[in-house]
């Protein structure tokens, strides 16, 4: 077959170059690299008053690696953050190339008695903005303190469940399950887990995170 040359090949090369520029680069996961997660949360993720190695994202990453997962988890927890704060910093807290986000926000909204409708709106906006970037989300839920009264509880408690159902998200219903109210597992303030408390949180949330990783791997 006669070799093509001249203007015809020039057009072919130009088209190939243009396609190379617009084609998305493969993720680290697609190239055999680790799954890159971001834990977007408040002090419960940040590891308030704990050594860095005892913070939730670090302990979770260690537990996943022990089970054979290739994963890197960035700690994007900010102590004192509300759902509004998380929304405000979303773009720089979750960089391009992130494979998934564990969203743990809402506790400070509840502790400050903020309107649950605002918390719901902020969390759903975070989810929608991440979905628009093709970044899957797992929700780590929170329940209202029982001393806030039945009306507040009724409005706050379903928030994470409703959003997860609407957007088909993996949900861990209560981030502090097994730890809340246990004096030996919390710091003197009674609100933040000790290192042992974080280990229990990770142990209990681990199956949900594995389900989340399975979803990511199927994409």
């Amino acid at each position: 077959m006669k070799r093509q040359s001249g203007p015809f090949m020039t057009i072919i090369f130009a088209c190939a170059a243009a396609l190379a520029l617009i084609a998305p680069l493969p993720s680290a996961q697609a190239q055999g690299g680790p799954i890159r997660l971001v834990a977007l949360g408040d002090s419960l993720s940040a590891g308030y008053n704990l050594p860095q190695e005892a913070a939730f994202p670090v302990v979770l990453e260690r537990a996943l690696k022990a089970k054979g997962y290739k994963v890197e988890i960035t700690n994007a927890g900010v102590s004192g953050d509300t759902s509004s704060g998380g929304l405000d910093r979303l773009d720089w807290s979750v960089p391009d190339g992130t494979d998934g986000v564990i969203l743990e926000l809402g506790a400070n909204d509840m502790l400050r008695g903020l309107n649950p409708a605002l918390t719901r709106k902020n969390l759903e906006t975070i989810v929608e903005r991440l979905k628009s970037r093709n970044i899957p989300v797992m929700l780590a839920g929170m329940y209202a303190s029982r001393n806030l009264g039945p009306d507040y509880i009724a409005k706050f408690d379903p928030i994470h469940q409703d959003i997860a159902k609407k957007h088909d998200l993996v949900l861990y219903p209560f981030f502090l399950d097994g730890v809340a109210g246990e004096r030996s597992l919390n710091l003197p303030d009674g609100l933040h887990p000790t290192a042992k408390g974080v280990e229990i949180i990770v142990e209990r949330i681990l199956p949900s995170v594995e389900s989340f990783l399975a979803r990511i791997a199927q994409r």
Side-chain angles (χ1 to χ4, degrees):
M1 188 171 86
K2 185 177 179 181
R3 183 180 178 184
Q4 298 287 351
S5 61
F8 178 78
M9 291 304 295
T10 300
I11 293 172
I12 293 296
F13 288 135
C15 290
L19 287 172
L21 288 173
I22 64 175
L25 292 173
S27 67
Q29 180 192 355
Q31 299 179 65
I35 296 176
R36 295 171 294 195
L37 302 180
V38 170
L40 179 65
D42 47 40
S43 56
L44 299 177
S45 289
Y48 176 79
N49 270 6
L50 296 176
Q52 182 179 355
E53 63 271 15
F56 166 73
V58 180
V59 179
L60 177 60
E61 178 181 311
R62 193 159 58 236
L64 289 168
K65 286 181 174 178
K67 298 193 72 172
Y69 291 96
K70 295 175 64 176
V71 61
E72 292 179 355
I73 306 179
T74 298
N75 187 346
V78 173
S79 294
D81 226 357
T82 61
S83 60
S84 296
L87 177 58
D88 288 343
R89 64 184 175 89
L90 178 62
D91 290 338
W92 60 264
S93 293
V94 182
D96 291 339
T98 298
D99 295 306
V101 169
I102 299 174
L103 179 57
E104 176 275 306
L105 283 169
N108 287 314
D109 299 56
M110 177 267 296
L111 291 173
R112 298 179 187 184
L114 301 181
N115 187 341
L118 176 62
T119 304
R120 181 185 291 269
K121 180 181 179 181
N122 288 335
L123 291 177
E124 186 157 21
T125 300
I126 290 173
V127 169
E128 290 171 346
R129 282 175 54 178
L130 289 172
K131 288 180 68 176
S132 72
R133 295 172 58 190
N134 201 31
I135 299 176
V137 181
M138 171 183 163
L139 277 183
M142 181 56 57
Y143 294 144
S145 175
R146 302 297 99 171
N147 63 4
L148 292 173
D151 184 59
Y152 192 92
I153 292 169
K155 293 177 180 178
F156 186 90
D157 280 8
I159 291 175
H160 293 83
Q161 298 175 41
D162 291 348
I163 294 173
K165 183 176 181 180
K166 180 178 179 180
H167 293 277
D168 188 28
L169 308 179
V170 173
L171 169 70
Y172 184 67
F174 184 37
F175 187 75
L176 294 175
D177 183 46
V179 174
E182 298 292 334
R183 294 182 61 183
S184 64
L185 299 176
N186 286 278
L187 298 176
D189 62 13
L191 298 173
H192 297 93
T194 62
K196 179 60 178 177
V198 172
E199 290 177 5
I200 291 176
I201 291 171
V202 167
E203 179 183 342
R204 295 197 176 203
I205 203 174
L206 197 57
S208 297
V209 177
E210 289 185 275
S211 296
F212 184 47
L213 293 177
R215 284 198 182 190
I216 293 173
Q218 290 171 0
R219 292 168 62 84

